[in-house]
């Protein structure tokens, strides 16, 4: 495991992973809980996530005119990528997909990026369980005329979402739940 991944894994384990008995938002029971916002909003965690995503975009030649996803999980990730890519002189602007279009003003469901139709975008989320957040954000991006070139999450809970997303888009997870849970201390 490379140094950036190792450091990020340690931050997620320390700040975001809880072992115990939990009820998830889906109503399912789980022996662990991930609150990745405590990592994506951490200065070092955000930097590592951004660098890892940018590295993968470059390594795999992914076209990325912008990056974003469904608010709230995607917001700090997209912002971190935008800032780090700007510092590295290869800017990738961020966008936010609202859960509902504004009822006033421009009535847009996507904020922060006004690319041309056909622009290639990357959709991100913090945790992938069912895949609904990524698929919803990707559908909204496509409705706006964008092409979804790839999707990313920080942690894949390995509960079926990946398979649904991969039917439509290239999908990358920085970690699987198994990678975080093996050797983890309760």
């Amino acid at each position: 495991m490379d140094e950036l991944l190792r450091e990020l894994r340690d931050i997620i384990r320390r700040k975001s992973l809880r072992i115990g008995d939990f009820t998830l938002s889906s109503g399912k029971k789980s022996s662990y809980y991930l609150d990745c916002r405590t990592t994506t909003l951490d200065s070092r965690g955000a930097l590592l996530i951004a660098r890892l995503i940018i590295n993968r975009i470059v390594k795999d030649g992914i076209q990325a005119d912008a990056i974003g996803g469904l608010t709230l999980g995607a917001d700090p990730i997209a912002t971190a990528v935008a800032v780090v890519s700007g510092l590295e002189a290869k800017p990738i602007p961020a966008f936010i997909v609202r859960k509902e279009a504004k009822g006033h003003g421009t009535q847009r469901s996507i904020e922060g990026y006004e690319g041309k139709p056909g622009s290639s975008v990357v959709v991100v989320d913090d945790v992938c369980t069912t895949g609904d957040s990524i698929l919803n954000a990707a559908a909204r991006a496509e409705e706006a005329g964008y092409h979804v070139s790839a999707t990313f999450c920080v942690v894949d809970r390995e509960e079926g979402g990946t398979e649904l997303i991969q039917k439509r888009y290239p999908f990358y997870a920085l970690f699987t739940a198994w990678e975080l849970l093996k050797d983890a201390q309760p």
Side-chain angles (χ1 to χ4, degrees):
M1 178 180 295
D2 96 352
E3 196 58 38
L4 296 179
L5 279 170
R6 187 174 295 109
E7 184 180 355
L8 180 59
R9 181 196 62 196
D10 293 346
I11 292 171
I12 293 171
R13 283 180 169 177
R14 189 174 66 253
K15 291 184 168 270
S16 299
L17 177 64
R18 301 291 175 259
I19 307 293
D21 295 316
F22 299 94
T23 301
L24 305 176
S25 61
S26 65
K28 290 175 66 175
K29 299 290 185 185
S30 178
S31 61
Y32 69 95
Y33 182 73
L34 281 162
D35 180 4
C36 276
R37 283 179 290 274
T38 55
T39 296
T40 63
L41 292 168
D42 174 80
S43 59
R44 186 69 183 166
L47 175 64
L48 293 168
I49 290 166
R51 287 221 167 111
L52 287 163
I53 290 174
I54 292 167
N55 289 350
R56 177 58 65 167
I57 287 170
V58 170
K59 179 181 178 209
D60 287 7
I62 298 167
Q63 182 62 40
D65 297 318
I67 189 166
L70 198 62
T71 199
L72 184 73
D75 298 351
I77 298 166
T79 301
V81 169
V83 170
V84 172
S85 66
L87 289 171
E88 295 176 355
K90 297 176 185 168
I92 303 172
F95 64 89
I96 294 170
V97 179
R98 292 175 174 276
K99 292 189 180 181
E100 294 179 21
K102 282 192 330 187
H104 61 282
T106 61
Q107 300 181 340
R108 296 174 50 116
S109 61
I110 295 181
E111 300 288 348
Y113 177 68
E114 295 183 20
K116 297 176 184 167
S119 296
S120 292
V121 299
V122 172
V123 173
V124 296
D125 201 10
D126 56 351
V127 177
C128 177
T129 304
T130 64
D132 288 347
S133 293
I134 286 175
L135 291 170
N136 184 348
R140 292 276 196 43
E142 288 174 337
E143 288 168 11
Y146 304 137
H147 165 72
V148 177
S149 57
T151 58
F152 281 83
C153 74
V154 177
V155 180
D156 175 7
R157 283 186 61 99
E158 304 171 286
E159 295 187 22
T162 298
E163 293 76 15
L164 292 174
I165 296 165
Q166 286 177 326
K167 288 179 181 179
R168 304 220 34 216
Y169 312 103
F171 176 77
Y172 302 87
L174 300 182
F175 295 99
T176 62
W178 181 83
E179 290 170 323
L180 293 175
L181 290 167
K182 74 175 183 182
D183 315 333
Q185 302 300 315

